[in-house]
Amino acid sequence: MTAPELVTEQAGVAVVPPRRGVPGLKLIKMTHGLQRVTLLFGLGLVAVFVVIAALAPWIAPYGFADQSADGVNFVAQQPPSAEHWFGTSVRSEDVFSRVVYGARTAIAVISISLVLSLVVGVPLGLVSGYIGRWLDRVLVLFMDAMYAFPALLLAIVVSAMVAGGQASGSGGILSAAIAITVIFVPQYFRVVRNATVAVKTEPYVDAARVTGASTVRILFRHILANVTQSLPVIITLNGAEAILTLAGLGFLGFGIEPTQAAEWGYDLNKAVTNDVSNGIWWTGIVPGVAIMLIVLGMTLAGESLNEVMNPLLRTRRTVGAATSVEKAAVAREVGDV
């Protein structure tokens, strides 16, 4: 019999292990009314695209670059039909299949870019804010210089440098993700660095320092958990920005080769160049709607999370609710008189 079991038996009290709730359920319970509807709707839209990306080979009737099936070539710019639900493109590709596989490309680029941004931006922000001195000044100057560049222009330059003129397959996805990462790193750096500067003089940090804890332990054991509360909000909003940046790169011709991966921005470029003037709407409408829906989902989720996790907004909402209750009470008293 182990020591905990012995103590429990002697005390005569049954110890029930703590129940772990569903991740994110507590956060959803903190929302109310329209805010909850907005959050769930946004998360639902994002979940739909994640499922589509995961099941793309089983959902799409053809490959993203297929121009024929069973030895029969597809007709270029064919309108929607039973064989091609969203029609075909100028390259004789099935639009529906490219939109489905485009979700996989978008989710992959978002995931890689956000993970890389966190891995690079958060540690740099911690080190810069905690150590300070010349290292902080150099990092702040460098990040501010990066942040001053127009986002899309910086992404184009980095994408061209990384891809080296070869934007094919996984290399194209990786180069696009790295290009977007360069845009996001200064944002995470600034948020974490400013929060670290604010908490590094707190008593619990001083106590850890006095007990002889190393700098690495102080940063990642004591400070990290207290400076990352706002990161989920930034991640969701940056996900929407990543989609738009990826689409912009593809539209301008700096994205992924169409024979290597489906990308919505490239499809929009071809639709505008070859189809719009001829009255062909389906090749541009469908990928455009896909971009709009996934950006809408991430934006709604991010704004709702911001209202829940931002202390200032929570305070305003609480004060507003209290004021409404007071007004209702005064109205009832007046009515009774």
Side-chain angles (χ1 to χ4, degrees):
M1 180 177 296
T2 61
E5 292 175 349
L6 181 60
V7 172
T8 302
E9 183 177 343
Q10 292 175 350
V13 179
V15 178
V16 179
R19 299 177 59 185
R20 294 183 179 181
V22 179
L25 185 59
K26 182 179 178 181
L27 189 63
I28 295 177
K29 290 182 178 179
M30 294 173 62
T31 60
H32 303 280
L34 182 60
Q35 184 188 57
R36 177 174 296 180
V37 173
T38 301
L39 176 60
L40 293 177
F41 182 70
L43 293 176
L45 282 177
V46 176
V48 167
F49 280 95
V50 171
V51 172
I52 292 175
L55 303 179
W58 294 274
I59 296 176
Y62 310 102
F64 59 84
D66 287 353
Q67 298 176 334
S68 63
D70 300 328
V72 179
N73 294 330
F74 299 151
V75 178
Q77 299 175 321
Q78 181 181 353
S81 62
E83 295 181 355
H84 305 283
W85 294 353
F86 294 159
T88 58
S89 65
V90 68
R91 293 168 51 89
S92 301
E93 298 159 334
D94 183 67
V95 175
F96 176 70
S97 299
R98 285 195 63 83
V99 169
V100 170
Y101 276 97
R104 168 171 286 192
T105 303
I107 296 299
V109 171
I110 289 175
S111 302
I112 296 173
S113 62
L114 291 180
V115 169
L116 290 177
S117 300
L118 289 170
V119 169
V120 176
V122 172
L124 286 179
L126 286 171
V127 172
S128 179
Y130 183 76
I131 295 179
R133 299 190 296 274
W134 64 268
L135 179 62
D136 180 51
R137 291 192 292 270
V138 171
L139 287 175
V140 169
L141 179 62
F142 181 73
M143 293 297 175
D144 286 346
M146 291 175 58
Y147 199 75
F149 274 91
L152 185 56
L153 177 60
L154 182 60
I156 290 173
V157 173
V158 175
S159 178
M161 292 174 59
V162 174
Q166 300 293 328
S168 60
S170 59
I173 293 177
L174 183 60
S175 64
I178 293 176
I180 296 172
T181 298
V182 174
I183 299 174
F184 292 161
V185 165
Q187 300 181 28
Y188 293 103
F189 169 83
R190 295 172 72 177
V191 170
V192 174
R193 182 255 178 195
N194 293 340
T196 303
V197 170
V199 304
K200 71 177 183 179
T201 57
E202 293 291 329
Y204 65 88
V205 178
D206 292 335
R209 192 182 299 113
V210 169
T211 58
S214 64
T215 300
V216 175
R217 181 179 178 84
I218 292 174
L219 289 178
F220 293 97
R221 183 69 181 272
H222 301 282
I223 296 180
L224 180 62
N226 294 285
V227 300
T228 56
Q229 292 90 344
S230 60
L231 290 186
V233 178
I234 302 175
I235 288 172
T236 53
L237 295 177
N238 280 350
E241 186 179 352
I243 290 291
L244 296 176
T245 304
L246 176 64
L249 289 173
F251 188 85
L252 296 175
F254 295 93
I256 306 166
E257 292 293 333
T259 58
Q260 301 298 325
E263 202 279 304
W264 295 330
Y266 175 87
D267 294 342
L268 282 177
N269 175 275
K270 290 301 178 184
V272 171
T273 304
N274 302 284
D275 300 335
V276 172
S277 58
N278 297 322
I280 299 173
W281 54 270
W282 54 87
T283 56
I285 288 294
V286 181
V289 169
I291 294 173
M292 181 196 71
L293 289 178
I294 190 171
V295 170
L296 176 64
M298 291 188 172
T299 302
L300 290 177
E303 293 295 341
S304 300
L305 289 175
N306 187 36
E307 292 183 11
V308 174
M309 303 180 69
N310 190 322
L312 180 59
L313 293 179
R314 285 205 309 269
T315 303
R316 289 177 179 175
R317 187 168 58 250
T318 303
V319 172
T323 304
S324 300
V325 172
E326 292 175 358
K327 290 181 178 179
V330 171
R332 284 196 300 270
E333 293 178 0
V334 174
D336 294 338
V337 174

